Amino acid sequence: MQSVDSFDLNDIDTAIFDLDGTIYLGDALLPGAARLVGSLRERGVRTVFCSNNPTKSPTTYADKLTALGIGTDVDDVFTSLNSTVRWVTTTMPGATVFPIGEQPLIEALTAAGVPISDDPTRIDLVISSYDRTFDYRKLQIAFDALWFHRRARLVATNPDRFCPFPGGRGEPDAACITAAITAGTGVPCEAVFGKPERGLFDIIAQATGLVPERTLMFGDRLSTDISFARRHGMRSALVLTGETDTAMLAAAPEDIRPDVVLPRIDDLLAAHDDRRSA
Ligand SMILES: [Mg+2]
């Protein structure tokens, strides 16, 4: 880790931002977020946004950011939906899929021409996801396809255990549903998309042409955001406005520690401005 004062923004030409807990919490912009994004853009830094949350489409995120005062093009938003669809269409082309997920996942698969079915005798792939409409019927279909008919494979859109809410609450995320399926079937989940996995990095790198060592990833979660940066050679800034507090950071293994820690996201800017004016 390095001090925020020694971090030189001139070394950065692309910034990737996590959303929940980093740019906003719930429907409220976090302090300094709009100022930081605006200032980086003024400096010519390319800004893109990245979420593991598969319950919202990139368009929904772009609209939300724009409404919050950070004007954003849909092409600059990447989610676990992008990497999930890419994996299905390249690794299992033609596969019939049973998505345990919400409408944006179903729409993303349908738009890519992926056949969807809830018939366990036809399902080749079960996709476990963050699904607030999860019920026993879906669990039974997955169980039959994976265990009884022994024909389907299992993957998950994202590895997150919960999605953080304002006030410290949260919502059970994809990991809970994946655990229910693997507990019952004994079938392992063979791939997980979203941060920190390579699939999402490759999609962003291809779209932006980013150079990893000149890219800074901002995020609030060590196991996804910071790990994503560390695994793929990017620099990383942990914000303390979401999941991680200083005690969690102190207890974290070396391979998920960030380059810099920001109590507030625009602290990075303040340090840089102070140095420039000094
Ligand atoms: Mg987050």
Side-chain angles (χ1 to χ4, degrees), residues 18-22 24 50 160 164 195 219-221 224-225 242-243:
D18 170 56
L19 292 170
D20 280 297
T22 301
Y24 51 71
C50 176
D160 304 78
K195 296 168 283 184
D220 69 303
R221 189 169 268 185
T224 52
D225 302 320
E243 177 181 288

Side-chain angles (χ1 to χ4, degrees), residues 76-89:
D76 289 331
V77 181
F78 302 88
T79 77
S80 57
L81 292 177
N82 299 92
S83 44
T84 300
V85 169
R86 162 93 57 112
W87 187 91
V88 172
T89 54

Side-chain angles (χ1 to χ4, degrees), residues 2 34 65 72 103 125 135 150 155 260:
Q2 66 185 94
L65 286 165
T72 303
Q103 208 52 35
L125 178 70
D135 60 11
R150 298 192 184 276
V155 296
V260 286

Side-chain angles (χ1 to χ4, degrees), residues 264-276:
R264 181 180 145 132
I265 197 165
D266 63 345
D267 286 346
L268 187 64
L269 215 50
H272 189 77
D273 288 347
D274 289 349
R275 183 171 54 228
R276 205 168 49 171

